[in-house]
Each structure stands twice: as structure tokens, then as C-alpha cells.
Amino acid sequence: MHKVVLALAVSAVFLGSGYSQPMIDSLKIPESGHMQVIETKDGGMLIGRIVSIDVDAVQVETSFGKTEVPIRAIKKIRRIPASSMRSGKHWYPDLNTTRLFITTTAQMMERGQGYYSNRYLFFSMLAYGVTDRFTIGAGGLTLPIPLKDLPFYITPKVGLWNQESLDLALGALIMRVPNDDDSFSTGILYGVGTFGGPEGLTAGLGWGFVDGEIENKPAIVLGGKRRWTRRLSVVAESWFFPDYYDEPWVIYGIRFLGLRMTVDVGMIAVPSEEIVFPGFPYFDFVFNFGY
């Protein structure tokens, strides 16, 4: 009974002090197998587990022992899997589990999560998790020309299956391309599966279309990523285009991981077009929010 009374008292204090509902919801003792990242208003960070909650402070158990943190000093609390701690250090999570370089994976963002991505500084995209099973994105060129002359696209994706070792999804990329006489639409309809979790293998099929006419043969994509160090992942993907290219397009490189932002640096090699090893440079950065 005293735990219920304490919980009500804490909630009353929070609500009366202007704390947001997400802050109230995240202030709890985590379940087994998870830890917490506690960000404070002065820019500090603690990684550990909340082990007790009082009206005005929490006790946090870290690898250096227990410490008391005033609730008024907490800016945000994020739950992380205990597996992200290796040799006493926090390995930054790769929040971009929904994408490799260009290829989307079958994994989905949770409701309220999203990201802004930029490729080569001229191609921007914003994606948002409307629900746990539906994501919508939109993007295009960012150039100082009239809006009516800019190509843009939308990218809806629906999650069909979500298990620890298998994810399945359907989606599309639908692009409007301006033309001197008239604009036209093009894009790709795809199905994709990711096997083995965030660091597993992704395979997909995509049917290109132009103004409603769909290709007979799909493009095939294979890719994956593997964590290398605390701040680095290795990423690779290959595209096969039947009837167009005898050799696959290959993109390979590394992903630099930060707390909210990642940077991809790689190379694109297209053997059939004589863009051979090491290839043409690829670059993007992604800022994640809602986590």
C-alpha cells in the first residue's frame, strides 16, 4: 500500500512542477535485462539503473556504485538493453535500424520516433513512426530553385511481422519528377525481410514503375551490417538489376555512431559501368529524435 501512496505522491509533485508525461512515464525502475541513460539539465549523463525512487530524488546504481540524483535535475531518461554495455562501457546504439545506406530494412521505428537524413548535402529526407507498424517519410532535393521544379518523393512502409529474428515489411518510394512539358511519377514498390535482428541480413525485391507501368522483373537487394567497435559499424549492400546491368551495384563503408546522430562514409562501385574498386564516394548523416 505504501508503494501506491508514494507513487501517487511522486506523480502529484511531477504534475504540479510542470514535468512532461514522457518524463513521468520513464521515471521507474527498469525491468530485468535493461539499463537507463539519465541525462541531466547541466549536460551530464549517468548510465546505470534506477533502484529506488523518492519524492524528490532517485538512487541510481552505476558501475562506480550508487549515487543520488535530484529529480528536478533530470532532463531525460532513456531505457537501453543491458547488452549495450560491454566491458563496463556503453556502446552507442545504432538507432538507424530501419536503413542501411540507401536500402530500407524490414525493421520499424516505434510510434513517435523519427529521423532527418541528408545525402551529399543536397538530398534531404524526414521519416516518422506514425504507429509501431506504419512509417511515413518524405524528401527531395534541397536546392535554391523554384519549388515546382524540385523533384520530391514520399516513402510509406508497413510492418507485417516483427519477431526477434525475423522482420517483414512492404513499402514504396513514389517520386514526382518535374518535366518541361509535364511532370511524371516514378518509383519502386518493394517487399523486404531482415533476418537475425539489427545486425542481420536484409533481402528484398523491388518493382520499378513509371506513370503506372510496372517492370516485369524486380530489382534484388542484399545487405547487412555488423558492429565493429564502440562507435563504428560496417555496412554493405548490393543491388541487382536484371536486363539492365550484368554486374551488381555495391555500396560498402562504415557508420560512425553517436548518441543522436550517425554519419555514413562509403564507396559505390558499379563494375558494369567501369566505376570499379574502390568506387565513387558516398556520404550521409542522420539525426534521430523521439528516442
Side-chain angles (χ1 to χ4, degrees):
M1 183 65 181
H2 68 283
K3 291 183 178 181
V4 175
V5 174
L6 177 60
L8 292 173
V10 171
S11 297
V13 171
F14 289 170
L15 293 171
S17 302
Y19 289 97
S20 65
Q21 189 63 45
M23 169 64 182
I24 298 172
D25 293 340
S26 63
L27 193 68
K28 59 185 178 182
I29 298 173
E31 59 269 32
S32 176
H34 288 83
M35 302 181 70
Q36 292 158 309
V37 178
I38 301 171
E39 300 177 40
T40 56
K41 294 177 181 178
D42 62 1
M45 181 185 298
L46 283 174
I47 301 174
R49 291 173 54 87
I50 293 177
V51 292
S52 67
I53 303 173
D54 206 341
V55 171
D56 57 359
V58 295
Q59 287 285 336
V60 181
E61 186 173 38
T62 72
S63 57
F64 303 103
K66 292 183 179 180
T67 185
E68 185 174 272
V69 181
I71 292 173
R72 66 178 180 275
I74 298 175
K75 178 181 178 181
K76 189 173 184 179
I77 301 173
R78 294 189 298 110
R79 190 186 68 168
I80 60 174
S83 59
S84 65
M85 295 296 295
R86 307 186 188 186
S87 301
K89 294 183 177 180
H90 176 225
W91 283 42
Y92 287 159
D94 183 354
L95 300 180
N96 296 320
T97 59
T98 62
R99 56 187 293 274
L100 299 176
F101 287 127
I102 297 175
T103 302
T104 181
T105 71
Q107 296 194 317
M108 305 294 294
M109 291 185 291
E110 295 180 6
R111 178 184 177 184
Q113 296 177 348
Y115 66 80
Y116 166 78
S117 71
N118 186 291
R119 295 183 175 95
Y120 295 113
L121 302 180
F122 299 111
F123 300 90
S124 292
M125 176 181 172
L126 185 66
Y128 183 74
V130 180
T131 72
D132 292 349
R133 290 187 176 271
F134 179 67
T135 296
I136 187 70
L141 281 171
T142 50
L143 295 174
I145 61 176
L147 187 62
K148 65 182 180 62
D149 296 326
L150 287 173
F152 69 89
Y153 60 87
I154 60 171
T155 59
K157 185 171 76 168
V158 178
L160 301 180
W161 184 267
N162 173 231
Q163 295 295 328
E164 184 175 352
S165 59
L166 175 63
D167 295 271
L168 299 174
L170 295 175
L173 185 150
I174 306 167
M175 177 180 288
R176 172 192 171 273
V177 181
N179 190 291
D180 290 338
D181 300 323
D182 193 13
S183 63
F184 65 94
S185 62
T186 185
I188 188 169
L189 308 173
Y190 67 82
V192 63
T194 297
F195 312 90
E199 295 190 6
L201 174 70
T202 290
L205 297 174
W207 285 262
F209 65 88
V210 177
D211 279 340
E213 295 186 11
I214 301 176
E215 292 283 346
N216 293 324
K217 293 184 179 181
I220 303 169
V221 63
L222 296 173
K225 59 185 175 180
R226 181 64 61 181
R227 194 63 175 265
W228 190 9
T229 68
R230 182 172 178 245
R231 290 180 178 266
L232 292 178
S233 284
V234 179
V235 187
E237 64 185 70
S238 297
W239 289 79
F240 302 84
F241 299 94
D243 297 337
Y244 288 97
Y245 300 98
D246 296 328
E247 304 289 341
W249 292 30
V250 179
I251 311 177
Y252 63 96
I254 56 178
R255 174 168 294 169
F256 297 89
L257 305 170
L259 188 61
R260 288 283 187 276
M261 183 174 174
T262 63
V263 177
D264 294 337
V265 178
M267 304 295 286
I268 303 174
V270 188
S272 60
E273 293 295 307
E274 297 183 355
I275 306 178
V276 295
F277 183 85
F280 182 80
Y282 174 88
F283 165 80
D284 73 42
F285 67 85
V286 179
F287 177 78
N288 298 276
F289 58 87
Y291 288 82

